[in-house]
Amino acid sequence: RPAILVEADATDPAATSNAIGALNSLLNTSLLNDFKGPLQFLAPADLPIDLRVHAQYNPEAIMQFNIVPGLMGVVLTMTMVMVTGLVITRERESGTMENLLSMPTRPLEVLTGKIVPYILVGYLQIALILVAARLLFGVPMIGSIPMLLAIALLFIIANLAVGITFSTIAQNQRQALQMSFFFFLPSLLLSGFMFPFRGMPVWAQTLGEFFPLTHFLRIVRGILLKGNSLAQVAPQLWPIALFATVALIIGVIRYRQTLD
């Protein structure tokens, strides 16, 4: 009766438990079809294979260890995109847009001034979530918190850039809110927060790779639960940086068009 050792990444208990259950059933039934007829006497009384599972990073399969760190990305995405999505449209509806346009400032300077205050708001939300995760839910924090905070700046800027872009496109605050939800809901559903990422269809995985939330969830869970280093999270950084750059460029171009 051979023994097979399986090391599983248990940071997502929902995905790991289903995979281990399927593997256990497969190993225990795959050989039974061979022990028939003349080979019937070889059929073991017990299960033919001893499956030994080492669930790493979350051996007790505690769901809040997976959900609470992910809430950091979800809350930042929702608030940053929605709040900044109302910035330019609020100026236009309140009648102060003319004063803003008459100032000798460039579009990038105006957009930067709109974004910077909300970076502090984003860090305040991160601090509250980290404190709650540690004190209320007992989430382990193995990795470097300063590194996580530095990486979070890039994620915050990416979401603020999306909100600013929506704000320059929308004609009123209602349209800006609709655009924000149109971006937030696919990010939530396709990022791997609600459903195991590898369990989704291939087209959904491909689409989910475009959202910054997908990569940030991997980063924050990897740092807090696994203690990942900068080199290990680096492959998830450039998609967020590319997304932020494209969103900022579109926002600057759209704002420049409103000056005409």
Side-chain angles (χ1 to χ4, degrees), residues 9-15 58 61-72 139-140 192-196 217 220-221 225:
D9 182 354
T11 53
D12 188 352
N58 188 7
I62 302 177
M63 287 300 299
Q64 56 259 35
F65 288 2
N66 180 69
I67 295 177
V68 176
L71 283 176
M72 185 185 305
V139 176
F193 177 78
M194 298 187 65
F195 313 104
L217 291 181
V220 66
R221 289 169 178 170
L225 302 180

Side-chain angles (χ1 to χ4, degrees), residues 13 31 43 102-103 110 128 139 144 156-157 207 217 225 247 249:
L31 298 178
S102 64
M103 298 177 62
V110 175
L128 293 176
V139 176
S144 172
I156 291 174
I157 292 176
L207 185 60
L217 291 181
L225 302 180
I249 291 175

Side-chain angles (χ1 to χ4, degrees), residues 147-168:
M147 183 178 67
L148 175 61
L149 295 178
I151 295 175
L153 176 61
L154 180 61
F155 179 70
I156 291 174
I157 292 176
N159 286 287
L160 291 177
V162 174
I164 286 293
T165 301
F166 289 163
S167 184
T168 58

Side-chain angles (χ1 to χ4, degrees), residues 4 50-51 115 118 155 238 256:
I4 296 180
D50 181 15
L51 181 63
I115 286 178
Y118 295 107
F155 179 70
W238 71 264
R256 186 180 299 273

